[in-house]
Amino acid sequence: MARQKRIALINDITGFGRCSVTVQLPVISAMRVQACPLPTAILSVHTGFPNHYLDDYTERMRPYMENWAANGIDFDALLTGFLGSERQIEVVLECIARFKQRDTKVIVDPVMGDNGSLYSSYTPELCAKMRQLLPYADIVTPNLTEACQLLGTQYPTGGIVTEDELNAMAAAIALMGPHDVIITGLHAGEDVRTYLYADGHGRSFDNPKIGRDRSGSGDAFSAIIAAALVRGIPIDEGVQRAAGFIGHCLAYAEELDLPWNYGLPFEEFMGELTAL
């Protein structure tokens, strides 16, 4: 039966702050791909706010995905985001075992930390558990902090790495399972760099650095990459489109002087994605 491409989003749903599924669903939909959330948690606002309400969804994830299976639903890709516990990673492994078919792609965004520090919920045990997803991943999209955690290496001073060091890191992560590795948010002078390692070769993409880091940027990036993948768009084009889209959103956020935890005002630029 002919149908649209379809991606399962294994991530939390946050009401305010433009992150996780709240960003990924509209972005993927704009690219003419159906987005199907499997919630890991429900939050009123993300944890970058002084106070937040959180409803952990771990106990309901298995019956949720079992009902998908009972209804014969399948997916062209599975995209993982923030996972709050080792138990949730176990559920994701079960989800991959249940829904990954020959042509189903798995995109892992190993949301663990940034700027050299882990998020407060992440322990060494949880980081080690995250590595268990890599053998099943087609694409993994860590920032530099997360790449270092996946490899068990020290974060470099000032977050500065050479092209040769990036190539070695990405190649080492690829040996753990993923076909393609995309290291995001790298410092490169007046630019922000994205490093793509695909088919055994590395390449950098630089975009002007605009303002400060904002919530949801990684979620938007991984969503565009996932939708591009199932649409058959070449990976290097997907990376450039994702970085360019986020750059436009960041510039507008600076124009509006939005607090960092309000996220990307991506709604203004959705037309860029519908053209893909």
Side-chain angles (χ1 to χ4, degrees):
M1 181 177 66
R3 62 165 176 81
Q4 289 174 288
K5 298 294 185 180
R6 186 183 297 149
I7 298 175
L9 308 179
I10 310 169
N11 207 344
D12 64 81
I13 298 176
T14 296
F16 188 88
R18 293 191 184 97
C19 68
S20 58
V21 167
T22 313
V23 170
Q24 291 178 330
L25 191 153
V27 164
I28 289 170
S29 298
M31 294 179 67
R32 301 189 297 281
V33 176
Q34 183 181 3
C36 308
L38 168 53
T40 59
I42 310 293
L43 290 91
S44 55
V45 297
H46 62 71
T47 56
F49 284 81
N51 301 289
H52 66 273
Y53 166 79
L54 184 150
D55 178 19
D56 188 296
Y57 217 66
T58 305
E59 296 299 329
R60 283 155 284 188
M61 289 175 69
R62 282 190 179 90
Y64 190 111
M65 70 180 186
E66 286 167 0
N67 185 262
W68 272 353
N71 281 288
I73 299 170
D74 57 6
F75 300 97
D76 299 284
L78 310 173
L79 170 58
T80 74
F82 181 79
L83 302 172
S85 67
E86 295 173 57
R87 291 174 61 209
Q88 287 194 345
I89 294 177
E90 287 289 345
V91 177
V92 172
L93 289 166
E94 292 176 24
C95 186
I96 293 171
R98 186 182 292 269
F99 292 105
K100 182 171 173 56
Q101 302 177 19
R102 184 185 66 180
D103 296 324
T104 307
K105 304 300 183 183
V106 176
I107 303 93
V108 172
D109 184 10
V111 184
M112 296 188 288
D114 203 358
N115 296 315
S117 299
L118 291 174
Y119 297 134
S120 58
S121 62
Y122 266 78
T123 62
E125 293 77 18
L126 186 51
C127 292
K129 194 74 173 178
M130 181 66 75
R131 296 184 194 110
Q132 294 185 18
L133 295 177
L134 297 186
Y136 306 97
D138 294 281
I139 297 178
V140 62
T141 61
N143 59 33
L144 183 58
T145 302
E146 293 153 354
C148 290
Q149 284 296 323
L150 292 174
L151 294 170
T153 60
Q154 290 291 320
Y155 185 78
T157 302
I160 304 300
V161 284
T162 67
E163 197 86 358
D164 287 344
E165 289 169 334
L166 280 172
N167 190 77
M169 293 176 71
I173 294 172
L175 285 174
M176 300 166 78
H179 183 270
D180 299 331
V181 178
I182 307 170
I183 304 178
T184 64
L186 297 157
H187 299 297
E190 296 300 313
D191 293 328
V192 60
R193 176 167 295 166
T194 306
Y195 190 80
L196 168 65
Y197 183 88
D199 297 317
H201 302 283
R203 178 183 176 191
S204 291
F205 300 89
D206 290 354
N207 295 83
K209 186 181 296 181
I210 302 170
R212 60 187 301 189
D213 294 338
R214 293 184 179 274
S215 60
S217 299
D219 296 307
F221 185 91
S222 63
I224 294 170
I225 294 299
L229 180 66
V230 301
R231 288 275 313 279
I233 295 170
I235 186 69
D236 57 344
E237 181 180 344
V239 167
Q240 292 178 78
R241 294 281 190 151
F245 177 79
I246 291 168
H248 295 157
C249 297
L250 287 170
Y252 189 53
E254 291 298 307
E255 181 183 333
L256 296 176
D257 195 25
L258 291 180
W260 77 269
N261 54 4
Y262 279 37
L264 300 172
F266 65 87
E267 299 88 351
E268 298 288 335
F269 304 95
M270 297 292 274
E272 296 180 14
L273 300 177
T274 61
L276 286 177

